[in-house]
Amino acid sequence: MLVVEECMTAQSTTPERKVRKRDADATRGRILAAAKTEFAKLGLAGARVDEIAERAGSNKRMIYHYFGGKEALFCAVLEEVYLDIRNAERALELDALPPRDAMERLVRFTWDYYLANPEFITLVNSANLHKGKHLEGADRLKLRQREFVDMVQRILDRGVESGVFRAGIDPIQLNITIAAIGYYYLTNRHTGGILFQRDYMGDAALEARLAFNIDTILRLISSED
Amino acid sequence: MLVVEECMTAQSTTPERKVRKRDADATRGRILAAAKTEFAKLGLAGARVDEIAERAGSNKRMIYHYFGGKEALFCAVLEEVYLDIRNAERALELDALPPRDAMERLVRFTWDYYLANPEFITLVNSANLHKGKHLEGADRLKLRQREFVDMVQRILDRGVESGVFRAGIDPIQLNITIAAIGYYYLTNRHTGGILFQRDYMGDAALEARLAFNIDTILRLISSED
DNA sequence: CTTAAGTAACTAACTGGTGCGTTACTTAAC
DNA sequence: GTTAAGTAACGCACCAGTTAGTTACTTAAG
């Protein structure tokens, strides 16, 4: 009710105020993690700011304090998950491997990463539903992306030089294809499982799909059969 | 078309009440079409029932009358768009083509269909965000899906028999891969355009991608280079 | 008359965002 | 070292605008 009950009892009234030890970075981090989970599960429109606050063990006010609003929080989540995957790819150090091994390792890694981080896929889908506008300001990410394409280009060049790959393959098209064959299978795992009516996410099915993907990519780039 | 025939000034009392000529099927169809557009653009949670009603030139009560609710309407939209694509594939009559031509035609068709019907992709993404539960009752669709897989199997068999395809290719894996390489490119066109920083949806880019996709599939299934 | 199609007004619950006060920590003057 | 002033972190309660779903009613059609 709107009954005004102030003025009196100025001090010492508020009985059960839970106060957390202060740690700005930790709170910010918990909010970001909770937002990642929530946005991944329900999308931007479906996610609830109250729910994110509660999951974070914080409150709504802090979300607005640290991030400015729901959409800005979504931007922060998106940039984080994209940087995470690009950093993980970089950590593979594929330049140190023979070209064929490097490529197979990249296909395997991409698949494993999607499988271990399903939020990434749904978050990217949500970003694209909103025409990518939440990613437009992420300049650091664009740089990382370019570095990644360059790395794939180097692998291709080494493979052509050593005769195992054919020449003229566009690293971006290859990149997109490597991502596509894993991403599609996993992003559509629910509708796929229903429509194809066969084991879709069991160990055997996942193993078979990965093998098919590796085969697809190697046949695409190999210089001979 | 959406011609609205108003019964002008029927009784002089309520001055501006627009009354539509009665046509249950047409109204149902307009609601379904409006819902398709709206769900595709904003997702299940982002779509607004009021907006769908307005776009349909109808009102909210009719949505509850014909479909029962927002989620049931989403189910109806989903089943419709899936049946549409499966019917279009069937209409290709690929059984009448030589196996290599049939496969190339299927890759082209899949790409063209996604390009011409971008709602299909975002609707499928939304369905999967909700774990596919809105598709579970669509039994007619499961049958169509199986027929489609069988057709791809027949093409593969004919190709093996005539020596142009290698043996042992799983039609479902192939199917998924054909869809994947087109779907991924288009569903992630916004983030892809931003991150790769090059022409992504221009005519030249689309043509190049289609060519790459055809090449990928033919290399995957061909018996020789 | 009866039935089904159609419409507008309504409501209860929700939701993103804020106002405003409180508490912990830092800093600097004395 | 003590303390007062300043600042950032935090929390509760609330609002104003939505939103899915409903009720009550009107009207076309057979």
Side-chain angles (χ1 to χ4, degrees), chain A residues 17 19 22 47-49 60-61 64 69-70:
Chain A
R17 194 182 178 99
V19 177
R22 298 195 167 192
R48 298 291 165 244
V49 177
K60 216 169 13 169
R61 201 71 192 77
Y64 289 86
K70 191 187 190 186

Side-chain angles (χ1 to χ4, degrees), chain B residues 7 21-22 47-50 60-61 64 69-70:
Chain B
C7 192
K21 213 149 197 200
R22 297 188 170 195
R48 297 293 164 243
V49 176
D50 282 298
K60 215 167 16 167
R61 185 65 187 82
Y64 289 87
K70 192 188 189 186

Side-chain angles (χ1 to χ4, degrees), chain B residues 5 30 32 91 94 101 115 122 125 154-155 185 204 217 222:
Chain B
E5 302 170 55
R30 285 200 317 278
L32 204 58
L94 298 181
D101 292 350
L115 206 50
T122 49
N125 282 343
R154 286 194 300 275
I155 299 172
Y185 189 92
I217 296 302
S222 289

Side-chain angles (χ1 to χ4, degrees), chain B residues 109-139:
Chain B
F109 168 82
T110 303
W111 173 262
D112 290 341
Y113 192 90
Y114 290 161
L115 206 50
N117 303 276
E119 338 78 66
F120 177 75
I121 286 180
T122 49
L123 289 168
V124 171
N125 282 343
S126 288
N128 279 286
L129 182 64
H130 298 280
K131 302 187 190 297
K133 69 174 169 180
H134 303 94
L135 207 65
E136 272 160 10
D139 292 323

